[in-house]
């Protein structure tokens, strides 16, 4: 299943690019992220708590940044195991275009979910993924706003 | 294996203090959603605080303009209550079509709205009727309560005590149930109230229950099934899943809206 969208980020493309490569920003924006530690260049281990209604599952996994074209595009991907709850993997292809003093960020998300969590949520995975993606980018825009005004 | 401690609370204060001393606790209503989730190991609370023994959460009462239902009242009790049937028959009918007899005999009003499943029935009635949700610490209007699918403005240790529904002039509910679970693929609650027509849709919206403004406007000009089902419903913000596409749901919303108005009379 593929999900996409676009946001106008209130910051220059260079700043947006920097933010997309800053683990602190990523940790702030990834919904439910409790830990994000660099293990190599562009590679991090992560702990994320996914909370949807009655479900609360802790995922441990790896987040990587790849296909980098400075300052235009890259891919943010993640892969996590939630123990008996199942696994989730997916990524976002992100593109940046200048739009006046702002930056137009376009994204396409692909998600794969397996195990118990997939059975339970078959009717909800699309909406949940959309919601998590928009949480990420809404927080991202807020962080950009504070960076620019700081 | 993991362990869960079970506590039966005797009062609201007792329940909040049990929750306060729990590591990662959860309130338990009828258990119809929480227990299956735990059985699947998709949630593993350290403590369950059962609200079933708290007298404040029980009972149905009416004062002529408002119908108040305790959060611990089961769907079967709502369906069978002569107070509910007299004041808001559409609400009794809604409760009588939730899930199956097992779910109706255990599941509660409080559990249903706390969970805010995007396909649950009660949220449509609560929002369309402009009900007020009373918790152990405050009162929340329906419009402020539901925050997108599976999210509400409740804090983690807050308990829903009761829900007060202003009694409408008339109201109707119609849903197209998923044939397996009976959850709504699309459900529409339409009410004619002192504030004019109010229409809420569940089951279809990507972000859970929502008010259908265009239908409210159409119904205020002409309260008729044709006026409701004639409104254009955009598929843009509707759910697509294995049970149906967003276009399919957009059409269902129109058809259910017509049926809801017809049921209201
Ligand atoms: C097979 C099946 C079919 C179903 N079909 C339908 C259907 O057609 N339509 C429909 O609307 N629903 C349906 N349901 C859901 C059902 O109606 C219950 O309402 C729902 O499971 C939650 O209510 P509960 O009392 O069982 O809550 P629980 O499962 O005990 O709790 C659910 C959540 O609410 C919290 N909670 C419970 N009570 C309170 C309270 N007083 N204050 C604060 N938080 C609280 C819990 O902590 C938990 O997070 C179905 C369920 C099943 C299993």
């Amino acid at each position: 299943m593929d999900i996409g969208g676009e946001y106008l980020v209130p910051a220059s493309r260079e700043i947006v690019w920097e933010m997309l490569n800053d683990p602190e920003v990523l940790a702030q924006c990834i919904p439910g992220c409790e830990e994000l530690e660099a293990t190599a260049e562009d590679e991090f281990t992560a702990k994320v708590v996914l909370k949807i209604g009655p479900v609360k599952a802790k995922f441990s996994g790896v987040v990587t940044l790849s296909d980098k074209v400075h300052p235009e595009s890259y891919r943010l991907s993640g892969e996590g195991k939630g123990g008996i709850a199942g696994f989730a993997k997916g990524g976002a292809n992100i593109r940046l275009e200048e739009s006046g003093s702002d930056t137009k960020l376009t994204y396409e998300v692909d998600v794969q979910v397996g195990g118990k969590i997939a059975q339970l949520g078959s009717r909800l995975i699309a909406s949940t993924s959309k919601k998590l993606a928009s949480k990420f980018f809404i927080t991202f825009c807020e962080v950009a706003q504070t960076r620019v005004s700081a | 294996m993991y362990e869960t401690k079970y506590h039966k609370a005797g009062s609201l204060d007792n329940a909040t203090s049990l929750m306060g001393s729990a590591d990662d606790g959860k309130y338990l209503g009828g258990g119809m959603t929480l227990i299956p989730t735990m059985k699947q190991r998709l949630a593993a609370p350290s403590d369950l605080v059962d609200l079933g023994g708290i007298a404040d959460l029980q009972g149905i009462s009416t004062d002529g303009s408002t119908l108040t239902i305790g959060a611990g009242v089961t769907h079967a009790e709502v369906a069978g209550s002569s107070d509910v049937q007299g004041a808001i028959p559409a609400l009794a009918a809604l409760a009588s079509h939730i899930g199956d007899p097992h779910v109706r005999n255990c599941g509660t009003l409080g559990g249903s709205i706390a969970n805010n499943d995007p396909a649950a029935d009660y949220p449509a009635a609560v929002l369309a009727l402009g009900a007020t949700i009373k918790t152990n610490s405050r009162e929340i209007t329906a419009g402020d309560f539901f925050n997108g699918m599976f999210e509400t403005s409740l804090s983690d240790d807050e308990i829903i005590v009761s829900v007060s529904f202003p009694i409408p002039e008339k109201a109707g509910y119609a849903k197209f149930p998923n044939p397996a679970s009976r959850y709504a693929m699309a459900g529409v609650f339409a009410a004619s109230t002192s504030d004019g027509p109010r229409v809420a849709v569940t089951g279809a919206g990507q972000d859970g229950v929502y008010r259908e403004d265009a239908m409210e406007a159409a119904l205020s000009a002409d309260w008729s099934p044709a006026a409701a089902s004639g409104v254009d419903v955009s598929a843009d913000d509707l759910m697509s899943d294995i049970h149906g596409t967003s276009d399919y749901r957009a059409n269902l919303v129109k058809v259910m809206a017509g049926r809801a108005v017809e049921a209201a009379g």
Side-chain angles (χ1 to χ4, degrees):
Chain A
M1 154 205 30
D2 296 316
I3 295 160
E6 60 175 59
Y7 283 89
L8 200 61
V9 189
S12 71
R13 185 158 73 164
E14 201 53 49
I15 291 183
V16 174
W17 177 260
E18 239 172 65
M19 286 175 57
L20 284 173
N21 286 284
D22 181 342
E24 247 172 67
V25 174
L26 296 177
Q28 245 176 303
C29 299
I30 296 172
C33 184
E34 293 194 331
E35 232 180 86
L36 189 75
E37 272 177 33
T39 44
E41 178 151 359
D42 295 337
E43 202 176 293
F44 312 89
T45 55
K47 283 207 169 71
V48 174
V49 174
L50 183 63
K51 210 163 160 270
I52 318 160
V55 173
K56 190 172 178 186
K58 218 179 198 151
F59 286 85
S60 319
V62 183
V63 173
T64 36
L65 309 178
S66 56
D67 305 341
K68 283 190 177 181
V69 183
H70 177 139
E72 282 166 20
S73 61
Y74 85 169
R75 176 173 168 83
L76 169 71
S77 40
E79 192 172 338
K81 289 200 182 74
I84 199 137
F87 71 88
K89 69 179 187 187
N93 293 324
I94 297 174
R95 253 178 305 128
L96 304 177
E97 272 168 67
E98 288 180 318
S99 170
S101 58
D102 297 335
T103 305
K104 191 172 100 181
L105 182 157
T106 321
Y107 71 93
E108 270 164 43
V109 175
D110 49 280
V111 192
Q112 270 178 290
V113 190
K116 293 218 152 123
I117 203 152
Q119 294 163 21
L120 176 101
S122 53
R123 70 192 164 96
L124 295 172
I125 286 166
S127 334
T128 305
S129 310
K130 263 189 203 160
K131 186 167 155 172
L132 295 177
S134 64
K135 266 195 183 164
F136 179 95
F137 290 110
I138 287 168
T139 319
F140 189 82
C141 290
E142 284 166 9
V143 176
Q145 185 86 58
T146 47
R147 283 223 169 172
V148 170
S149 49
Chain B
M1 268 306 282
Y2 66 91
E3 274 180 29
T4 298
K5 286 190 222 99
Y6 172 90
H7 312 268
K8 183 139 191 168
S11 68
L12 285 169
D13 286 344
N14 184 211
T16 47
S17 81
L18 284 166
M19 187 57 82
S21 49
D23 209 19
D24 182 19
K26 269 287 203 188
Y27 291 123
L28 180 66
M32 291 295 94
T33 293
L34 188 51
I35 301 290
T37 311
M38 290 173 63
K39 279 182 167 172
Q40 290 200 300
R41 303 291 192 265
L42 291 176
S46 64
D47 296 71
L48 282 179
V49 179
D50 189 348
L51 305 175
I54 304 177
D56 294 345
L57 268 55
Q58 298 303 321
I60 299 175
S61 63
T62 167
D63 68 359
S65 64
T66 311
L67 172 74
T68 300
I69 304 179
V73 174
T74 64
H75 311 331
E77 287 172 306
V78 171
S81 152
S82 52
D83 277 339
V84 181
Q85 288 164 358
I88 315 179
L91 194 60
L94 175 151
S96 76
H97 289 108
I98 295 176
D100 51 40
H102 180 141
V103 168
R104 292 196 289 277
N105 282 313
C106 292
T108 65
L109 170 61
S112 175
I113 63 171
N115 198 41
N116 192 19
D117 189 300
D121 296 301
Y122 270 128
V126 169
L127 187 60
L129 293 170
T132 300
I133 292 100
K134 187 174 164 231
T135 74
N136 57 321
S137 58
R138 57 184 171 146
E139 293 192 353
I140 311 169
T141 57
D144 292 333
F145 181 81
F146 300 110
N147 270 348
M149 68 164 195
F150 285 126
E151 273 176 37
T152 67
S153 51
L154 291 174
S155 60
D156 279 346
D157 62 350
E158 199 168 0
I159 301 173
I160 304 173
V161 176
S162 62
V163 181
S164 293
F165 299 90
I167 298 172
E169 285 149 26
K170 53 189 175 182
Y173 180 65
K175 75 165 158 176
F176 189 85
N178 176 300
S181 70
R182 304 281 152 198
Y183 271 110
M185 301 258 311
V188 178
F189 199 102
S192 169
T193 75
S194 52
D195 292 338
R198 289 175 62 110
V199 178
V201 178
T202 189
Q206 224 161 59
D207 237 352
V209 66
Y210 68 93
R211 275 175 71 184
E212 184 60 68
D213 303 336
M215 267 177 201
E216 293 181 356
L219 287 170
S220 79
D222 169 22
W223 177 270
S224 73
S229 58
V231 168
D232 272 336
V233 174
S234 157
D236 285 354
D237 293 320
L238 301 189
M239 254 194 278
S240 266
D241 60 18
I242 52 167
H243 304 303
T245 62
S246 51
D247 285 326
Y248 180 70
R249 280 194 166 83
N251 190 54
L252 276 183
V253 170
K254 292 164 60 158
V255 177
M256 292 307 123
R259 288 188 194 168
V261 173
E262 196 172 341

